[in-house]
């Protein structure tokens, strides 16, 4: 794989930029701005206003804080359980029904329970995000650990390594590239769930500010926050891709060949 395999290709901006130009021209020609729609120039103006008064920065910090905290908690417990299931087939069989019964439950369905336990605020949102991030970490970590070369474990046992040493020196180093892919997937899920919880129930972050802008008939601010949310998600994914390449090298990267 070439060194530039995961460098950002600016040609991908041609279509969205072209769409914005056409939308702006249409807005100026027809004057279709309303309580539901806004022109690209109006969205940009609303974004700079929200950036100048600190609204968008505070909302972004709140959303990222809850999503990353929930992601960290879910990842820690998910990796721990995934390693256990990957190394212990008996535990895997015993917990299979419980995992498959709980995993399909939508994280946002826990909002009423989380509200009763934690009330409004960061703790409630973090708990729901952690639940959502936990499952991809468990499933993919289990698969990564189960895929470790059995002969490596046989050599470790022959050398007298205990279970802890085997996990630290053999299992985790071999499975870590695939576990990091699971972490990238969980990071996207965490951000989506955090914003969904904010829209549905929690008066914090980008999601709450989006629904507030919609209720106060400010479509330009609502759309500005939506676009900004997409940029934040893109930047987070690019950061994780860069980290993956730096930590594991080009061999750990996945690319779809055309």
């Amino acid at each position: 794989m070439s060194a530039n395999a995961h460098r950002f290709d600016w040609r991908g901006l041609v279509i969205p930029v072209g769409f914005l130009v056409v939308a702006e021209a249409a807005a100026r020609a027809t004057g279709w701005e309303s309580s539901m729609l806004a022109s690209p120039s109006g969205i940009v103006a609303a974004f700079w206003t929200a950036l100048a008064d600190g609204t968008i920065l505070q909302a972004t910090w709140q959303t990222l804080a809850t999503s990353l905290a929930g992601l960290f908690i879910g990842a820690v417990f998910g990796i721990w359980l995934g390693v256990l299931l990957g190394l212990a087939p008996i535990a895997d069989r015993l917990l299979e029904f419980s995992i498959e019964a709980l995993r399909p439950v939508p994280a946002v369905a826990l909002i009423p329970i989380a509200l009763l336990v934690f009330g409004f605020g960061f703790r409630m949102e973090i708990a729901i995000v952690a639940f959502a991030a936990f499952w991809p970490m468990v499933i993919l970590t289990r698969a990564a650990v189960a895929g470790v070369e059995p002969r490596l474990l046989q050599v470790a046992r022959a050398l007298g390594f205990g279970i802890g040493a085997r996990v630290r020196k053999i299992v985790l180093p071999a499975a870590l590239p695939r576990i990091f892919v699971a972490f990238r997937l969980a990071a996207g899920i965490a951000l989506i769930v955090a914003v969904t919880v904010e829209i549905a129930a929690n008066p914090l972050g980008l999601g709450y500010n989006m629904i507030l802008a919609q209720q106060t008939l400010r479509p330009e601010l609502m759309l500005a926050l939506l676009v900004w949310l997409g940029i934040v998600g893109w930047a987070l994914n690019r950061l994780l891709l860069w980290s993956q390449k730096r930590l594991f090298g080009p061999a750990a990267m996945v690319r779809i060949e055309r």
Side-chain angles (χ1 to χ4, degrees), residues 72-115:
F72 176 77
I73 295 171
V76 168
F77 286 99
I79 291 173
W80 177 85
L81 183 58
V83 170
L84 174 65
L85 298 178
L87 292 177
I90 295 178
D92 191 19
R93 288 193 293 270
L94 288 174
L95 293 174
E96 181 179 5
F97 175 79
S98 299
I99 290 174
E100 294 305 320
L102 291 173
R103 185 168 62 90
V105 175
V108 293
L110 299 180
I111 289 177
I113 299 174
L115 280 173

Side-chain angles (χ1 to χ4, degrees), residues 10 22 28 43 131 143 165 195 212 234 243 246 248:
W10 295 100
V22 172
R28 291 179 181 274
I43 294 171
F131 178 86
V195 173
L212 188 63
W234 173 84
S243 301
R246 294 282 294 181
F248 307 114

Side-chain angles (χ1 to χ4, degrees), residues 13-86:
L13 292 176
V14 170
I15 292 178
V17 169
F19 172 79
L20 292 176
V21 170
V22 172
E24 181 67 24
R28 291 179 181 274
T30 63
W32 49 251
E33 289 191 81
S34 66
S35 60
M36 296 179 292
L37 296 174
S39 65
S41 60
I43 294 171
V44 171
F47 171 79
W48 285 115
T49 300
L51 185 64
D53 64 19
T55 300
I56 203 167
L57 295 178
Q58 182 181 17
T60 302
W61 176 85
Q62 291 170 342
T63 296
L64 287 179
T66 52
S67 60
L68 294 179
L71 172 64
F72 176 77
I73 295 171
V76 168
F77 286 99
I79 291 173
W80 177 85
L81 183 58
V83 170
L84 174 65
L85 298 178

